[in-house]
Amino acid sequence: MAANENERFNQFAAVLSTELLERTKKSMELLAPDEQPCSLLPFIQTPSFVEFYQELVRVGILPVVLSRRPVRAIVGDVDWAREGREYLLTVLDDRSNAVFTAWEYAWDSLWDERKVGQDSAAAGNVKQKKGFFSALFSRKRDEKPDAGQGNGAEGGVMAGLHIMLTELAEKRGFLPLFHEDVRILKALPRLKPGRVAQAWKEITQYHHQEFYLPEQEQAKPGVTSECLQKWHYNLPDKIGEFLVLKAAVDLEHVNKPFIGKYIRQSARTQEEAEKGMPYLAVYWKAMRNPAPVAERHTL
């Protein structure tokens, strides 16, 4: 690359990094409850994970994204310092754009553990990933080959992000991740924070109209549940479930009986509910039943 091409690529990398990090962080912050939960929350709704996630993306995911040829081709002759963000947003609005494809590839390539060949062409990358994991998770790993292995044989097993994030959960205070949760992490940049904000605003409005207005002005019973159902199934995978969980923490009348009824109405069986809404089902079990009205008003 010529000097000006290098400069333009660096500017592009800075714009892309800022946009992806800010977009994903904002969405996670909007999903996080404001009140104190009664039990552990999913990773994506935990402030300690949001902070960690930013560093994970910065040092583990973005370098892979920026190394992909279709992503580098986006640089073109755009003046990234002046009009880069506006141009990038037009690129990201294309559902099949190279950035999201590379982003998904990066998560997939790091998610599962795999055996590492000592003489493989990717040995340099593997070494870098091991160092990245070790530094990020403060995890010491044995780099020595297994006994009986000769030169050219497969090396040790490199733990993937799924294993390491699950181990981190206990230290950071969030629920262990399900294996398929990589789909959530891959979908985050496609989720526009404004859509999450719109959904939560509508949910809180219906909650207020159903439960807090004078009786003659109240909305019909069930509108809060209907609104939750609407967003549950119109937002990307699991995002709607997280919003229902946020409502269970933050909204007074979205209590244990409410969530229990919501789960029953959303699935035919308990098994189906726990499979389709695993995090909500776990939280519901930890919720306390509301105190009788008479007890609430005693001194």
Side-chain angles (χ1 to χ4, degrees):
M1 275 191 190
N4 62 334
E5 290 177 337
N6 272 325
E7 183 180 356
R8 194 159 60 244
F9 175 77
N10 290 337
Q11 290 172 346
F12 161 73
V15 171
L16 178 63
S17 173
T18 299
E19 180 62 29
L20 291 179
L21 287 171
E22 287 186 356
R23 181 182 293 207
T24 52
K25 181 180 180 182
K26 184 64 175 175
S27 291
M28 286 191 284
E29 288 175 343
L30 288 167
L31 290 169
D34 295 321
E35 302 298 326
Q36 185 67 33
C38 65
S39 70
L40 295 181
L41 292 173
F43 60 103
I44 205 168
Q45 294 182 288
T46 308
S48 65
F49 180 84
V50 175
E51 176 187 341
F52 174 83
Y53 170 89
Q54 294 285 297
E55 188 64 16
L56 169 59
V57 168
R58 191 177 291 110
V59 302
I61 301 298
L62 283 173
V64 179
V65 172
L66 290 167
S67 71
R68 305 292 287 175
R69 187 176 298 175
V71 175
R72 299 175 77 89
I74 295 171
V75 177
D77 58 358
V78 177
D79 185 344
W80 290 97
R82 289 188 176 183
E83 56 196 40
R85 184 174 184 272
E86 288 73 17
Y87 179 74
L88 179 63
L89 291 178
T90 65
V91 173
L92 297 182
D93 280 339
D94 182 352
R95 299 291 294 181
S96 61
N97 72 78
V99 172
F100 289 160
T101 301
W103 171 271
E104 292 171 5
Y105 167 84
W107 282 103
D108 286 339
S109 68
L110 295 175
W111 192 245
D112 287 313
E113 67 178 5
R114 81 284 317 272
K115 283 198 171 181
V116 188
Q118 297 285 338
D119 296 338
S120 70
N125 287 336
V126 167
K127 208 167 187 181
Q128 182 181 3
K129 287 176 185 175
K130 281 188 177 181
F132 147 65
F133 282 144
S134 178
L136 200 58
F137 291 88
S138 299
R139 172 174 170 149
K140 294 180 180 179
R141 303 193 56 79
D142 188 358
E143 301 285 343
K144 295 178 181 178
D146 295 339
Q149 283 185 331
N151 291 334
E154 285 190 322
V157 172
M158 181 179 75
L161 279 177
H162 174 238
I163 291 174
M164 291 190 160
L165 287 173
T166 298
E167 290 177 358
L168 186 73
E170 186 175 350
K171 298 177 184 176
R172 294 292 186 107
F174 53 84
L175 291 171
L177 284 74
F178 296 99
H179 186 268
E180 61 270 20
D181 284 345
V182 68
R183 297 181 306 183
I184 303 169
L185 296 165
K186 291 194 296 184
L188 267 179
R190 297 181 185 269
L191 178 65
K192 294 183 177 179
R195 189 160 169 77
V196 181
Q198 176 191 354
W200 183 244
K201 180 179 179 181
E202 191 172 307
I203 291 165
T204 56
Q205 284 176 340
Y206 276 113
H207 179 260
H208 179 79
Q209 291 169 11
E210 181 175 356
F211 296 107
Y212 292 107
L213 291 180
E215 187 174 351
Q216 64 273 19
E217 299 176 27
Q218 282 182 358
K220 67 175 183 177
V223 293
T224 304
S225 183
E226 290 173 6
C227 185
L228 287 168
Q229 287 271 3
K230 167 189 168 181
W231 289 108
H232 191 159
Y233 296 105
N234 280 283
L235 287 169
D237 188 35
K238 290 284 180 279
I239 300 302
E241 180 183 344
F242 294 141
L243 269 183
V244 180
L245 208 162
K246 175 180 169 75
V249 179
D250 285 353
L251 303 183
E252 179 185 5
H253 294 278
V254 182
N255 52 23
K256 185 163 188 173
F258 183 106
I259 292 295
K261 183 178 179 181
Y262 181 89
I263 291 174
R264 290 193 299 274
Q265 291 176 335
S266 304
R268 291 169 293 184
T269 65
Q270 183 70 19
E271 182 181 1
E272 183 180 297
E274 293 185 3
K275 184 178 179 181
M277 295 172 281
Y279 288 119
L280 185 62
V282 167
Y283 191 80
W284 169 74
K285 290 176 182 177
M287 296 175 75
R288 295 180 179 178
N289 281 311
V293 174
E295 290 185 18
R296 287 184 182 179
H297 296 287
T298 56
L299 295 177

